[in-house]
Amino acid sequence: MVLRIEVILEKIMLNPVMELVTFKINANCTPEAFAAACEPVNVWVRTQPGFQSRTVSRNQEGTWFDVIFWDSAESANTAAAKIMVELGKSEFMTMIESSSIQMQHPQIVSRS
């Protein structure tokens, strides 16, 4: 019986995916203004299927890190395509140096 429940849970639970986006903000944009512009994106991303969590941070060199956890690669890819259509002209997007954007989905090997 226990094995059967584990098999069912394994099929229900998708393979979680981490989306890591690194970028720089435009020189005329302050970190405080950019942080405020993140909030509408937070509201939007919370409504996307498969969303788990999002954290935006930056380092001393001015590189920003947008880390989102999704239930699956499919959820991550669907949201990535939709965000440009639905929020492509948002204040958040216009504050980012588009040439600096790097997106990746590294494999999660351990999570607590």
Side-chain angles (χ1 to χ4, degrees):
M1 181 70 168
V2 173
L3 180 59
R4 173 106 173 109
I5 292 172
E6 288 175 358
V7 170
I8 292 170
L9 286 175
E10 187 176 305
K11 288 183 178 187
I12 292 172
M13 297 194 59
L14 303 172
N15 295 320
V17 170
M18 181 179 86
E19 179 175 293
L20 172 62
V21 183
T22 59
F23 54 89
K24 303 265 186 185
I25 59 173
N26 295 319
N28 64 348
C29 179
T30 67
E32 295 79 15
F34 184 75
C38 287
E39 190 52 34
V41 179
N42 289 340
V43 171
W44 180 86
V45 78
R46 281 188 217 113
T47 68
Q48 300 310 301
F51 171 77
Q52 291 183 0
S53 67
R54 177 180 190 229
T55 303
V56 178
S57 57
R58 67 183 171 107
N59 65 17
Q60 295 290 344
E61 292 78 34
T63 299
W64 289 77
F65 304 85
D66 193 342
V67 181
I68 304 176
F69 285 91
W70 299 97
D71 285 345
S72 67
E74 181 181 8
S75 295
N77 292 329
T78 299
K82 284 176 61 178
I83 196 167
M84 293 313 295
V85 172
E86 296 180 18
L87 297 178
K89 304 277 188 209
S90 68
E91 184 179 27
F92 173 85
M93 293 297 194
T94 62
M95 292 178 164
I96 296 172
E97 288 181 15
S98 59
S99 63
S100 71
I101 298 171
Q102 295 183 10
M103 179 188 289
Q104 52 186 303
H105 295 98
Q107 179 183 12
I108 297 172
V109 295
S110 178
R111 187 173 177 194
S112 59

